[in-house]
Amino acid sequence: MNTITRVAVAVAAVAVPAVLLSAPAGAAPKGDGVTPQHWACGSGTPPNHDPISGITGANAGARIRTGSSTSCTALGSSQPSDRLDYYCYTRENGTNATWTYLRNGRTGVRGWTRDDQLPGGGSNYFCGS
């Protein structure tokens, strides 16, 4: 294999994963200037904008809460083997932390989990219209 061919193969190997990890069409990538608002404790179910379901790998004991804040009541928690259905994300008041609304397929519990506890960093679809 000549030098030009080796360089082309190396560039292709690096470029493909970047494409696979990009946000899906229609998603609002976090940090794109969109400012999703905090979801108050107990304020209801947001829209299901995210087609991702059946994802596993949450941190053990990741709490599912009634709103996008640690001050909201915990309804349950998820385990690494639990299948999760993502709905959308929002931001916690006064911080840069993002939260995803989800449904835990094992327990049926629906609520908010901080994105740093979720596989893939949570949803890429914000909860606004």
Side-chain angles (χ1 to χ4, degrees), residues 73-91:
T73 303
L75 301 169
S77 61
S78 56
Q79 300 301 317
S81 61
D82 290 349
R83 297 178 65 78
L84 306 174
D85 177 17
Y86 292 171
Y87 281 47
C88 59
Y89 81 94
T90 192
R91 194 168 307 281

Side-chain angles (χ1 to χ4, degrees), residues 21 49 64 68 72 74:
L21 294 176
H49 292 309
I64 302 171
S68 59
C72 295

